[in-house]
Amino acid sequence: LHTPTFYDLSDEFDAKMVAYGDTVVSSQTPIDRIADYRLQTPLKFSVSAAYIIKSKALISAEYQFENTSGIKLKNDKGQTSVFEYDNSMIKDHYKATHTIRVGAEVRPIESLGIRLGFATVSSSVKNDVESSGMTTIVAGTVPHYSFEKRTYYYTAGLGYNGSIVHVDLAYVLRMNQENLYAYPTYIDNGDALVPSKLTNLTHNIVATIGFKF
């Protein structure tokens, strides 16, 4: 069981806008603009099990539940009324995520281990949010946004543990699908915008070598 984590955060920012025409118009926010607030992460818990086969192989599985809709924003005094709209949007648009991890390791000899693994993480956004036709509020000046779908992880590893040196090689493939929208307005001239369906592949290779003295 993972209890919520509480953060005390402070944002410091300023902005300036200049418009050039017949006359130059300039506007500047206070340069010492500071926003203090608190963030509460959601509750999550996990269960796992493992089985050892004759000291030669290991099979393990884990399930994790995270209540993403339980994220809360508060002011620096711990009050949620200031962020009532933000918290209601989080609750209405987000849902719990489910993570499943399975893995296996085989040791053909005592000093050599071969590992394979798989994991999948569900989307934290409710299914009807994308099709609701609502205007999405984007951050900053970036006009595009995306809805991430389920994420998959495929892993493999090889490890050698000798009397003097140990070597470990790991590979992780992350595959994620998302619908990318170019503009924050869902409807354009009465027609729903058609998203770009993207499949993102990320490859990570990590090698470790160590010596015993």
Side-chain angles (χ1 to χ4, degrees), residues 57-69:
L58 171 68
I59 300 175
S60 63
E62 180 183 20
Y63 166 76
Q64 179 177 288
F65 170 91
E66 183 174 2
N67 182 26
T68 313
S69 62

Side-chain angles (χ1 to χ4, degrees), residues 8-211:
D8 286 321
L9 303 173
S10 181
D11 291 345
E12 183 176 352
F13 59 92
D14 66 273
K16 181 178 181 179
M17 182 181 69
V18 179
Y20 296 94
D22 294 337
T23 59
V24 177
V25 179
S26 177
S27 178
Q28 170 74 55
T29 64
I31 60 174
D32 57 349
R33 181 76 177 184
I34 298 177
D36 297 320
Y37 61 99
R38 298 178 183 179
L39 172 66
Q40 176 183 329
T41 65
L43 173 75
K44 59 182 178 181
F45 70 88
S46 61
V47 293
S48 60
Y51 182 70
I52 300 175
I53 304 173
K54 295 181 179 180
S55 301
K56 293 290 186 181
L58 171 68
I59 300 175
S60 63
E62 180 183 20
Y63 166 76
Q64 179 177 288
F65 170 91
E66 183 174 2
N67 182 26
T68 313
S69 62
I71 296 174
K72 287 186 175 62
L73 291 168
K74 305 176 183 180
N75 63 10
D76 56 347
K77 296 180 176 60
Q79 300 168 336
T80 59
S81 57
V82 178
F83 293 100
E84 182 177 356
Y85 174 78
D86 304 84
N87 290 326
S88 66
M89 294 289 282
I90 292 174
K91 185 177 179 179
D92 292 342
H93 295 163
Y94 286 85
K95 62 181 180 179
T97 60
H98 307 273
T99 303
I100 298 175
R101 303 181 183 95
V102 293
E105 181 175 354
V106 178
R107 289 187 173 273
I109 58 176
E110 182 64 24
S111 59
L112 181 64
I114 302 172
R115 303 183 301 272
L116 291 174
F118 169 79
T120 176
V121 183
S122 64
S123 172
S124 60
V125 181
K126 291 182 178 179
N127 296 330
D128 59 350
V129 172
E130 183 177 1
S131 59
S132 64
M134 63 176 292
T135 298
T136 301
I137 301 175
V138 296
T141 58
V142 178
H144 64 271
Y145 65 96
S146 64
F147 288 98
E148 288 194 352
K149 305 301 180 181
R150 183 175 292 271
T151 302
Y152 300 92
Y153 296 88
Y154 302 89
T155 65
L158 183 67
Y160 171 77
N161 187 16
S163 58
I164 299 177
V165 62
H166 64 269
V167 180
D168 191 271
L169 181 64
Y171 167 74
V172 179
L173 168 62
R174 180 183 184 272
M175 182 174 69
N176 169 257
Q177 294 177 332
E178 62 177 334
N179 289 347
L180 177 68
Y181 291 85
Y183 304 101
T185 304
Y186 185 80
I187 303 298
D188 181 25
N189 295 326
D191 297 324
L193 295 176
V194 178
S196 299
K197 298 182 180 296
L198 306 180
T199 299
N200 304 310
L201 299 177
T202 304
H203 304 269
N204 288 301
I205 299 177
V206 178
T208 305
I209 183 170
F211 299 91

